[in-house]
Amino acid sequence: MTASSTPRLPRKPRRSMADDVRENKREEILAAAEALFFERGYAQTTVADIVAALGVTKPYLYYYFNGKDDIFEQLCWRASVACLTSMHTDAGDARPAGDRLQEGLHRLAVANIRYFRAGTFAYRETGALAAPFQARLRAMARVFHRELRDLLQQARDEGSIECGNLMLTSHAIGSVVGFMYTWYKPGGPIAQDDMADEITRILMNIAGFRQPTPKRRARTGANKDNP
Amino acid sequence: MTASSTPRLPRKPRRSMADDVRENKREEILAAAEALFFERGYAQTTVADIVAALGVTKPYLYYYFNGKDDIFEQLCWRASVACLTSMHTDAGDARPAGDRLQEGLHRLAVANIRYFRAGTFAYRETGALAAPFQARLRAMARVFHRELRDLLQQARDEGSIECGNLMLTSHAIGSVVGFMYTWYKPGGPIAQDDMADEITRILMNIAGFRQPTPKRRARTGANKDNP
DNA sequence: CCTACCGATCGGTAGG
DNA sequence: CCTACCGATCGGTAGG
C-alpha cells in the first residue's frame, strides 16, 4: 500500500527468486480457491476441495495462508479494491466531467469483467465475512458511490448527461456491473474488450448520456502521456 | 395453481381451522428463517438459530418441515416465482406493447420489493441449492428473460421505446431489481409504493422509453374492469 | 511436506 | 392412546 520510496536507488531488490516461487504458489492457491468459492459458495467449499483441486495437502495450504477465511478475504479485498476505485479521478484532471465519467465507467466495466468472480464476494457472501472486514468494504463502497455521484452531478451541471435522482442512478449503474456474474462468463462469444465497451455504453445510457459531447468530439481513452 | 372449480357449490371447505393454525405456524417459521438466511447466509444460519428466534425447539420445526433445506427451498421458490412471472402477459391482451411492458416492469418492481429477502436466494445462494432445484429456477429465469425480450422487441417495433441490444437491455433491467437488496431496505424514508414507481421509471429509462406514448396519452394502470 | 488425528460444531432424531 | 412437544444425544463432518 505505502509504495512511495525514493527512486534512483535500485538497490536491495525487495524480491528474491524464492519470494517469487512462494508468490506463485500463493497465487495458484488463490486461483483454485477463487473458482471454487465462486461456483459453490464459501461455506460449501471445503479446504479439502481446494487442496484436491491442486493435488496438494491441507498442511501445504496452511503453510501459505492462515486459513480458509484468510484466502477468502485476500481474494475479496483485491477484487473489491479494483472495482470500487474505478470512479476515482485525479484532482488535477481538468477535462470535462462527461469525459471523466465515461473513462471511470469504462474502468468500472473492465475491473468487474477482470474480477468477475472474487468481485462478487463482498455482496454475495457478506455472511461469510468477519464484521470488521465487512466494515472496511462498506467504507470503500461508500467512497465509490460518493465519487460516482459527484461525477454524475458535475456532468449534469455541464450538460453532458440528463439524469434524475443521483442516488438511484448511481445504484442502477452499480447494479448492472454487480449483477453481471449472473449472466456473463468471460470466454464466451463476445471478446472481453468488446463486452467492456458494450457495458460502458449501457452505463452511460443509464446516466442519461446524449451523444458524445456535442461541443468537441473528444476521443477519451488511456492517453495520459502529456497533459 | 389449478383453482378453477365450478362455483355455486360452497360445500366442503378445503381448509379446516386446524389447517389454518398449522399454516400460520409454518409461515412463522418461514418468516424467521427468511430473515436469518438473508442476513447471515444459508450455511451461517443454524437450525438452532431459527428455533431460538421463535422461542421453540428443533423437533417443533421438524414437525412442520423436512429440514433446513426444505425451508430454504420453499422460501426461494415462492419468491422467485413471484418475481420471475412478472413479465407474463395474457395472450388476449391487445393493448400496446409499451403499456404492457410498463405494467410488467411495475409488477417486477413490486415483487422484488415485496420479496426483497427470499428473492435474492436464487442467485446469491446457488451453491446452497440442490442441483435439480437450481435447474427448475434456471428454466423459470429463461422464460422471464424471453418474455421480457419479446415485450421489448414489440415495444420497439411499435416505436414506444428505443433500445439497442435486447439481451443486454433485458439483463440490465434484471440487474437493477436483482441488486436492490444491496442498498434498499423497506421501512426506510421512501414508502414502498413510491419506491416501486421510482424503480419502474428507472427500468423504463433503461428500456429507452421516451415520453408516455406521444400518440395518445394513455394512462396505464390496473384498470381491467371493461375492455 | 505428508499421515494421522484432534476439539468443536453441525443438522437431524432418538426416547419419554 | 393420541397429538404435540421437550431434554438429551445421536451419526457424521467441518476446520485445523
Side-chain angles (χ1 to χ4, degrees):
Chain A
M1 299 301 176
T2 64
S4 60
S5 61
T6 315
R8 193 70 64 97
L9 278 174
R11 288 292 198 79
K12 187 188 174 193
R14 287 187 323 220
R15 179 169 287 282
S16 70
M17 205 158 76
D19 285 339
D20 284 341
V21 169
R22 181 184 167 87
E23 197 56 30
N24 280 341
K25 296 196 174 180
R26 281 177 57 89
E27 289 301 328
E28 283 176 11
I29 295 171
L30 287 170
E34 182 182 23
L36 289 167
F37 286 148
F38 177 74
E39 287 163 20
R40 308 180 187 178
Y42 177 77
Q44 289 82 20
T45 300
T46 68
V47 175
D49 292 334
I50 300 172
V51 297
L54 291 164
V56 297
T57 60
K58 284 195 267 190
Y60 175 97
L61 183 147
Y62 280 92
Y63 174 75
Y64 293 103
F65 293 95
N66 290 329
K68 188 184 166 188
D69 52 351
D70 182 23
I71 297 175
F72 194 60
E73 277 196 5
Q74 292 196 30
L75 286 167
C76 182
W77 182 252
R78 69 159 79 165
S80 296
V81 167
C83 294
L84 294 176
T85 57
S86 301
M87 303 314 299
H88 188 71
T89 54
D90 266 346
D93 195 335
R95 289 176 301 162
D99 292 357
R100 284 180 287 133
L101 175 64
Q102 181 161 8
E103 198 176 287
L105 292 179
H106 189 262
R107 276 196 301 267
L108 181 65
V110 168
N112 272 277
I113 290 173
R114 160 116 194 245
Y115 294 97
F116 81 102
R117 282 193 269 237
T120 68
F121 295 162
Y123 43 86
R124 276 186 86 187
E125 301 263 28
T126 37
L129 294 165
F133 187 75
Q134 281 187 51
R136 291 167 61 201
L137 288 170
R138 272 197 305 269
M140 191 161 55
R142 268 196 300 274
V143 172
F144 167 83
H145 274 105
R146 181 169 50 73
E147 292 181 330
L148 175 51
R149 280 201 303 272
D150 285 350
L151 268 180
L152 288 169
Q153 182 144 28
Q154 293 172 31
R156 187 171 65 180
D157 289 346
E158 74 181 19
S160 49
I161 65 169
E162 296 171 10
C163 63
N165 187 308
L166 288 177
M167 190 197 74
L168 288 178
T169 305
S170 173
H171 281 304
I173 287 171
S175 299
V176 170
V177 290
F179 211 63
M180 265 183 68
Y181 75 92
T182 64
W183 58 272
Y184 176 67
K185 296 270 181 296
I190 307 178
Q192 294 194 18
D193 291 351
D194 296 338
M195 183 52 74
D197 293 344
E198 203 67 49
I199 295 293
T200 306
R201 247 188 300 277
I202 296 217
L203 299 183
M204 288 298 282
N205 183 36
I206 292 175
F209 189 62
R210 311 286 178 217
Q211 302 289 46
T213 40
K215 320 300 176 67
R216 76 162 79 174
R217 186 68 164 68
R219 186 73 180 90
T220 64
N223 194 353
K224 50 177 67 175
D225 297 330
N226 278 328
Chain B
M1 300 299 177
T2 62
S4 60
S5 61
T6 315
R8 194 72 65 96
L9 278 175
R11 288 292 198 80
K12 188 189 176 191
R14 286 189 320 222
R15 178 169 289 279
S16 71
M17 206 159 73
D19 286 338
D20 284 340
V21 169
R22 180 183 169 87
E23 196 58 28
N24 282 340
K25 299 198 172 182
R26 281 177 57 89
E27 290 300 328
E28 283 175 10
I29 295 171
L30 287 170
E34 182 182 21
L36 290 168
F37 286 149
F38 178 73
E39 287 163 20
R40 308 180 186 179
Y42 177 77
Q44 289 81 21
T45 301
T46 67
V47 175
D49 292 334
I50 299 171
V51 298
L54 290 164
V56 298
T57 59
K58 281 197 268 191
Y60 176 98
L61 182 147
Y62 280 94
Y63 175 76
Y64 293 102
F65 294 95
N66 291 328
K68 188 185 165 187
D69 53 349
D70 182 22
I71 296 175
F72 194 60
E73 277 196 4
Q74 292 194 32
L75 286 168
C76 182
W77 183 252
R78 69 158 80 163
S80 296
V81 167
C83 295
L84 294 175
T85 56
S86 301
M87 303 314 300
H88 189 74
T89 54
D90 265 346
D93 196 335
R95 289 176 299 163
D99 293 357
R100 284 181 286 135
L101 175 63
Q102 181 162 8
E103 198 176 288
L105 292 179
H106 189 263
R107 276 196 301 266
L108 181 65
V110 168
N112 272 278
I113 289 172
R114 159 118 196 245
Y115 294 97
F116 81 101
R117 283 194 268 237
T120 68
F121 294 162
Y123 43 86
R124 274 187 87 187
E125 301 263 28
T126 36
L129 295 165
F133 187 75
Q134 282 188 49
R136 289 166 62 200
L137 287 171
R138 273 197 304 269
M140 192 161 53
R142 270 196 300 274
V143 172
F144 167 82
H145 274 106
R146 180 169 50 73
E147 292 181 329
L148 175 50
R149 279 202 304 272
D150 285 351
L151 267 181
L152 288 170
Q153 182 145 29
Q154 292 171 32
R156 187 170 64 178
D157 289 346
E158 77 183 16
S160 48
I161 66 170
E162 296 171 10
C163 63
N165 187 309
L166 288 177
M167 191 197 74
L168 288 178
T169 305
S170 173
H171 280 305
I173 288 172
S175 299
V176 170
V177 291
F179 212 62
M180 266 182 68
Y181 76 92
T182 64
W183 58 272
Y184 176 67
K185 296 271 181 296
I190 307 177
Q192 294 195 18
D193 291 350
D194 296 337
M195 183 51 75
D197 292 344
E198 203 66 49
I199 295 294
T200 306
R201 247 188 300 276
I202 296 216
L203 300 183
M204 288 298 281
N205 184 37
I206 292 175
F209 189 63
R210 312 284 176 218
Q211 302 288 46
T213 40
K215 321 298 175 68
R216 78 163 76 177
R217 187 70 162 68
R219 185 76 177 88
T220 64
N223 193 354
K224 48 175 71 175
D225 297 330
N226 276 328

